[in-house]
Amino acid sequence: MSARLSRGAHSVAGQVFALQAVIVVLLITAAALALVFQARFDSQRDARNRSLAAAEAFAHAPGLPEALMSRDPTAALQPLAESARKAAGLDFIAVMDLRGVRYTDPRPELIGQRASDVSRAAAGESFTQVFQGQPSDAVRAVVPVRNADGTVVGLVGTGIEVQNVSHAVEGQLPLLVGATAAGLLLGTAGAALVSRRLLRQTRGLGAAEMTRMNEHHEAVLHAVREGVLIIGNDQRLLLANDEARRLLDLPRDAEERRVGDLGLDPRTTELLASGRVVTDHVHLAGDRLLAVNVRPTMAYAGRPAGRVVTLRDTTELASVSGRAEVARSRLQLLYDAGVRIGTTLDVARTAEELSEVAVPRFADFVTVELLEPVLRGDEPSVGGVYTEMRRAAITGVRTDSPLQPVGDLIRFEVPTAPMAAALDAGHAVLAADLNAAMGWRAQDSQGTRMALDYGLHSLISVPLQARGVVLGMANFWRADTPEPFDEEDLSFAEELGARAAVSIDNARRFTREHAMAVTLQRSLLPRVLPDQSAVDVAHRYLPATAGVGGDWFDVIQLPGARVALVVGDVVGHGVHAAATMGRLRTAVHNFSTLDLPPDELLGHLDELINRIDQDETGEGGGNGAGDPDGNGGGAGQEDAGPDGAAEPASAVTGATCLYAVYDPVSGRCRMASAGHPGPALVHPDGRVEFPELPAGLPLGVGGMPFEAVEFQLPEGSRLALFTDGLVEDRDRDFDTGLRLLTDALSRRGRTPDEACSDVLATMLFPVPSDDIALLIADTRRMEADRIAEWEVPGEPSAVSRVRNAGSAQLVEWGMEDSAFAAELILSELVTNAIRYGSAPVGVRLLRDRSLICEVSDSSNTSPHLRYAATTDEGGRGLFLVAQYAERWGTRYTDRGKVIWAELPLTGGSDPQPPEPPDLDALEDMAW
């Protein structure tokens, strides 16, 4: 604060304020003193006049001469004098004789005493004076009293004491002091306002600083190598420095003249007078190239704003900056090419991106031709002479070019043509003047004549090569641009072609791998679903655009007319993911032959994946991923890729699977999930719900058992199993996908195939980033008249009754041809259940696409097929069952096991033993 005050005190504004304050104080003081003296003078003059008037009046009062001549003048005159004094407001009225002896006085002690200095009045002269002496200082008047003949007979003295005159002046002092103070305050405030305004305008600078600033301003303004003009709002030139005068050739008297009167060229006059704001505007003024900047100035003191114009001579830098701009634009074009070329991993689209990025900033037309194998994604041949290619892209500033369209076969048969020469040399070739390119003209005389007539005049041909292999050819043409290509353009075109060739080769390799992965994926997926009666199934599989993944689905027929529905997803994309999917699908098929519950099947599958990962990563430990962190092994292992290059081996860890088993006899569905989204359940009334499943870990993570749940499905229900690629994507979350899926599945009266179409029409992404597998199954229930069940008592005699009942049921079903084999199988299975199993024992016959014979008991003992020796009394039972049944096996349940066998409905071609066995005797045979 002190520094600020010190700076203000030493500034020009502070000095002006101090000077004004001193002047105001002096003027106010002088005025106050003058007023005091004037008041004192006026008071004395008033006292003189009042005293003289009172004395004259009293001296001419009637009877005064007679009273003076009486024997006691004091007694006659004292009361009259006091009354007159009080009435006149005087301090005293004294009546005296010619010697000055007082006859009357306000102070009685002075009566009889002689007043001094009255000789002039005694001589007949009236006078006033400021008397100083005894008894007091006073302003008095002395007047002679004359009788009738004019003789002076006495004197009258009146007056006001000086002290009372001073009191009158002092009474006016408060007003005088107040007026003086007000004047001083107003004067000081005015000086402060003026100083404050001056302080703002001078920025607190002192006189020396302002002088130095002005000197610097003049030096900079006239010495700087940049022209400066200040133009007022009325289009008058207010200021022009020396450089501006030189650049614009201004006359000496240019200032205060209008811009239009300065003799400048019309374009310069229009720019200066327009008032528009410009920044580094390149302007041609005469033979000079000027960089012009125009900015408005701030309005001041109510005056409208003008503008400041700066001029910089850039004539010498024009050529240098032009070359720098070309280089900058080329670098920007290369950057754009790196960003825009190769974004889709599609060969044809990559060729189009190359042509689009170069037009019109480098060429007027660009054509790209590729070898046929490259377009298909195959490896092009190495070496040789390339005489023909397929046009893959064409882009130009106009659409009516004479060049051959996309899809045409382009031939390079003349060796001296720029295209053939570039392919032969392995680098870009420049044909600056196509009129002189005889080899090009000889290639197609009619087509080249049309191209020349169209305006094509310059060409650069660049072979597209990657890894030393020719992929195609890029041709850059100029028609509308008058300048032909030069050597600098040649090197740039070669750089652009090299970058594009890498992107085209990446797209080619991706196309080949994608085609291989799609082929492998489709070959591993089920082509024909098995014939079964439990569900009516429809399915869809869509590979991802960016890379085939490992999604799969399956429908597996199980014993007892049951069916297994499977969907799964392998992490990753490409051939490895597709191959892994095939291995998992095969494993699920193998485990399903064991007729395991869903949770146990997923447990075996998880253990299998752990072993696969450990074997492929070469590590024996870990939690199934083959690495210490458990996050997927194989980071250091490499397999040979499609091109022979090393590719990192991927672990299977993270695969998901949903396994559901539906029983059409009971209508129950049991399912378990290994990190896979649960199914959608569509009720017969169209209501859609998503049953909650225990959240199992993905396959290969290990450490936690899987848990299965069981649902009772109403007849006519629909199950929709899907992979997450259907409902989830970068632009849509999982919950939103489920809502859309609900809307698509809620349409009633649609077949499974139509429902699949509805779902994909509603939910399919324009460019799917993940595979989509969809499996829709309408559940069916087996009719009661196709099911026969009996409970078997635990005694051997019950075998014949069950056999007879089964035979009767087969006759009722019209299956007499299968009766013998069915009776034999029932006899063997029931006999062994009673002999080796535990109660209760049950028998069930199912008439499905085959005849299914099931015998259940509460024992977990598993029978095994063996060959009995000729001396063995038993052991041939299962052998006979295997001979007469198409399939047989054992299924374990929560309360025991079920041994089942399937026979064809027609009876088939039964084996013909030499002598039919005695079925009753078989009851005594052991396993």
Side-chain angles (χ1 to χ4, degrees), residues 604-627:
H604 286 290
L605 193 61
D606 181 64
E607 183 179 356
L608 175 64
I609 289 178
N610 284 335
R611 291 201 303 270
I612 292 175
D613 285 347
Q614 292 171 7
D615 293 341
E616 291 189 351
T617 57
E619 299 181 13
N623 59 349
D627 68 327

Side-chain angles (χ1 to χ4, degrees), residues 6-58:
S6 176
R7 180 185 177 187
H10 290 86
S11 64
V12 173
Q15 296 175 13
V16 171
F17 172 74
L19 179 61
Q20 289 180 330
V22 170
I23 293 174
V24 168
V25 170
L26 291 177
L27 290 177
I28 296 299
T29 302
L33 292 176
L35 289 174
V36 170
F37 286 120
Q38 183 65 37
R40 184 177 296 276
F41 174 76
D42 291 343
S43 297
Q44 290 182 358
R45 185 178 59 183
D46 181 64
R48 287 173 183 268
N49 293 335
R50 288 171 57 196
S51 299
L52 180 60
E56 289 287 352
F58 197 83

Side-chain angles (χ1 to χ4, degrees), residues 254-268:
E255 295 180 354
E256 298 302 329
R257 292 174 59 180
R258 291 185 174 275
V259 173
D261 300 335
L262 297 178
L264 303 175
D265 62 89
R267 293 180 62 254
T268 304

Side-chain angles (χ1 to χ4, degrees), residues 358-366 397 476-478 481 485:
V359 175
R361 288 188 288 176
F362 178 67
D364 297 327
F365 293 91
V366 176
V397 293
F476 302 90
W477 310 78
R478 278 187 178 175
T481 303
F485 289 116

Side-chain angles (χ1 to χ4, degrees), residues 464-509:
L464 301 177
Q465 303 177 90
R467 299 178 292 112
V469 179
V470 174
L471 306 175
M473 166 72 62
N475 295 300
F476 302 90
W477 310 78
R478 278 187 178 175
D480 293 1
T481 303
E483 296 82 8
F485 289 116
D486 54 24
E487 293 297 330
E488 292 184 0
D489 297 325
L490 182 68
S491 60
F492 172 77
E494 196 157 23
E495 174 67 19
L496 184 61
R499 297 193 179 195
V502 174
S503 298
I504 292 175
D505 189 51
N506 290 336
R508 178 198 62 78
R509 299 178 66 186

